[in-house]
Coordinates of all heavy atoms in Angstrom, one line a residue:
G31 N 10.8 27.6 0.5 CA 11.4 28.8 0.9 C 12.6 28.4 1.8 O 13.3 29.2 2.5
G32 N 12.8 27.0 2.1 CA 13.9 26.5 3.0 C 15.2 26.5 2.2 O 15.3 26.7 0.9
S33 N 16.3 26.4 2.9 CA 17.7 26.4 2.3 C 18.0 25.0 1.8 O 18.0 24.0 2.6 CB 18.6 26.9 3.4 OG 20.0 26.5 2.9
P34 N 18.2 24.8 0.6 CA 18.6 23.5 0.0 C 19.8 23.0 0.6 O 20.1 21.9 0.8 CB 18.7 23.8 -1.5 CG 17.9 25.0 -1.8 CD 18.0 25.8 -0.6
V35 N 20.8 24.0 0.8 CA 22.1 23.6 1.3 C 22.0 23.0 2.7 O 22.5 22.0 3.0 CB 23.1 24.7 1.3 CG1 24.4 24.4 2.0 CG2 23.3 25.2 -0.1
Q36 N 21.1 23.6 3.5 CA 20.8 23.2 4.9 C 20.2 21.8 4.9 O 20.4 20.9 5.6 CB 20.1 24.2 5.6 CG 19.9 23.8 7.1 CD 19.0 24.9 7.9 OE1 18.8 26.1 7.3 NE2 18.6 24.5 9.1
A37 N 19.2 21.7 3.9 CA 18.5 20.4 3.8 C 19.5 19.3 3.4 O 19.4 18.2 3.9 CB 17.4 20.6 2.7
G38 N 20.4 19.6 2.5 CA 21.5 18.6 2.1 C 22.3 18.3 3.3 O 22.7 17.0 3.4
R39 N 22.7 19.2 4.2 CA 23.4 18.8 5.4 C 22.6 17.9 6.3 O 23.2 17.0 6.8 CB 23.8 20.1 6.1 CG 24.9 20.9 5.4 CD 25.5 21.9 6.3 NE 26.3 22.9 5.6 CZ 26.0 24.1 5.4 NH1 24.7 24.5 5.7 NH2 26.7 25.0 4.7
L40 N 21.3 18.3 6.5 CA 20.5 17.4 7.4 C 20.2 16.1 6.8 O 20.4 15.0 7.4 CB 19.2 18.1 7.4 CG 18.1 17.3 8.1 CD1 18.4 17.1 9.7 CD2 16.7 18.0 8.1
A41 N 20.1 15.9 5.4 CA 20.0 14.5 4.9 C 21.2 13.8 5.1 O 21.2 12.6 5.4 CB 19.8 14.7 3.4
A42 N 22.5 14.4 5.0 CA 23.7 13.5 5.3 C 23.8 13.1 6.7 O 24.4 12.1 7.0 CB 24.9 14.5 4.8
E43 N 23.4 14.0 7.6 CA 23.5 13.8 9.0 C 22.6 12.7 9.4 O 23.0 11.8 10.3 CB 23.1 15.1 9.8 CG 23.3 14.9 11.3 CD 23.0 16.3 12.0 OE1 23.0 17.3 11.3 OE2 22.6 16.2 13.3
V44 N 21.4 12.7 8.9 CA 20.4 11.6 9.3 C 20.3 10.4 8.4 O 19.4 9.6 8.5 CB 18.9 12.3 9.7 CG1 19.1 13.4 10.6 CG2 18.5 12.8 8.4
E45 N 21.2 10.4 7.4 CA 21.2 9.3 6.4 C 20.0 9.3 5.7 O 19.3 8.1 5.4 CB 21.5 7.9 7.2 CG 22.9 8.1 7.8 CD 23.4 6.7 8.4 OE1 22.9 5.7 7.8 OE2 24.2 6.6 9.4
A46 N 19.3 10.3 5.2 CA 18.2 10.4 4.4 C 18.5 10.6 3.0 O 19.7 11.0 2.7 CB 17.1 11.5 4.9
G47 N 17.6 10.4 2.1 CA 17.9 10.7 0.7 C 16.9 9.9 -0.1 O 16.5 8.8 0.4
P48 N 16.5 10.3 -1.3 CA 17.1 11.6 -1.9 C 16.2 12.8 -1.4 O 15.2 12.6 -0.9 CB 16.7 11.3 -3.4 CG 15.5 10.4 -3.5 CD 15.8 9.5 -2.2
L49 N 16.9 13.9 -1.7 CA 16.1 15.2 -1.4 C 15.0 15.3 -2.5 O 15.2 14.9 -3.6 CB 17.1 16.4 -1.5 CG 18.1 16.6 -0.4 CD1 19.0 17.8 -0.7 CD2 17.4 16.9 0.9
M50 N 13.9 15.9 -2.1 CA 12.8 16.3 -2.9 C 12.6 17.7 -3.1 O 12.4 18.3 -1.9 CB 11.6 15.4 -2.6 CG 11.7 14.0 -2.8 SD 10.2 13.1 -2.1 CE 8.9 14.0 -2.9
A51 N 12.7 18.4 -4.1 CA 12.6 19.9 -4.1 C 11.9 20.3 -5.4 O 11.9 19.6 -6.4 CB 14.0 20.5 -4.1
A52 N 11.3 21.4 -5.4 CA 10.6 22.0 -6.5 C 11.6 22.3 -7.6 O 12.7 22.6 -7.3 CB 9.8 23.3 -6.2
D53 N 11.2 21.9 -8.8 CA 12.1 22.0 -9.9 C 12.4 23.3 -10.4 O 13.2 23.5 -11.2 CB 11.6 21.2 -11.2 CG 10.3 21.7 -11.6 OD1 9.5 22.2 -10.8 OD2 10.0 21.6 -12.9
R54 N 11.8 24.4 -9.7 CA 12.1 25.8 -10.0 C 12.4 26.6 -8.7 O 11.5 26.6 -7.9 CB 11.0 26.4 -10.8 CG 10.7 25.7 -12.1 CD 9.4 26.3 -12.7 NE 9.0 25.5 -13.8 CZ 7.8 25.6 -14.5 NH1 7.0 26.6 -14.0 NH2 7.5 24.9 -15.6
P55 N 13.5 27.2 -8.4 CA 14.8 27.1 -9.3 C 15.5 25.8 -9.1 O 15.3 25.2 -8.0 CB 15.5 28.3 -8.9 CG 15.0 28.5 -7.5 CD 13.6 28.1 -7.4
P56 N 16.4 25.3 -9.8 CA 17.2 24.1 -9.7 C 18.1 24.3 -8.4 O 18.5 25.3 -8.0 CB 17.9 24.0 -10.9 CG 18.0 25.3 -11.5 CD 16.8 26.1 -11.1
L57 N 18.4 23.2 -7.7 CA 19.2 23.1 -6.6 C 20.6 23.5 -7.0 O 21.2 23.3 -8.1 CB 19.2 21.7 -6.0 CG 18.0 21.2 -5.3 CD1 18.1 19.9 -4.8 CD2 17.5 22.3 -4.3
P58 N 21.3 24.2 -6.1 CA 22.9 24.6 -6.4 C 23.7 23.5 -6.3 O 23.5 22.3 -5.7 CB 23.1 25.6 -5.3 CG 22.4 25.1 -4.2 CD 21.0 24.5 -4.8
G59 N 24.9 23.7 -7.0 CA 26.0 22.7 -6.9 C 25.7 21.2 -7.2 O 24.9 21.1 -8.3
G60 N 26.3 20.3 -6.6 CA 26.0 18.9 -6.9 C 24.7 18.4 -6.2 O 24.6 17.1 -6.3
L61 N 24.0 19.1 -5.6 CA 22.8 18.7 -4.8 C 21.7 18.1 -5.8 O 21.1 17.2 -5.5 CB 22.2 19.7 -4.0 CG 22.8 20.0 -2.7 CD1 22.1 21.2 -1.9 CD2 23.0 18.9 -1.7
A62 N 21.6 18.7 -7.0 CA 20.5 18.4 -7.8 C 20.7 16.9 -8.4 O 19.8 16.2 -8.6 CB 20.6 19.2 -9.1
A63 N 22.0 16.5 -8.7 CA 22.2 15.2 -9.1 C 21.8 14.1 -8.1 O 21.6 13.0 -8.4 CB 23.8 14.9 -9.4
R64 N 21.7 14.4 -6.8 CA 21.3 13.5 -5.7 C 19.9 13.8 -5.2 O 19.5 13.3 -4.3 CB 22.2 13.6 -4.6 CG 23.7 13.1 -5.0 CD 24.7 13.1 -3.8 NE 25.1 14.5 -3.5 CZ 24.6 15.2 -2.3 NH1 23.8 14.7 -1.5 NH2 25.2 16.5 -2.0

Side-chain angles (χ1 to χ4, degrees):
S33 167
V35 175
Q36 183 177 352
R39 293 196 190 103
L40 176 64
E43 182 180 342
V44 301
E45 300 186 25
L49 289 178
M50 294 171 50
D53 62 329
R54 300 173 187 170
L57 295 181
L61 285 178
R64 296 181 283 112

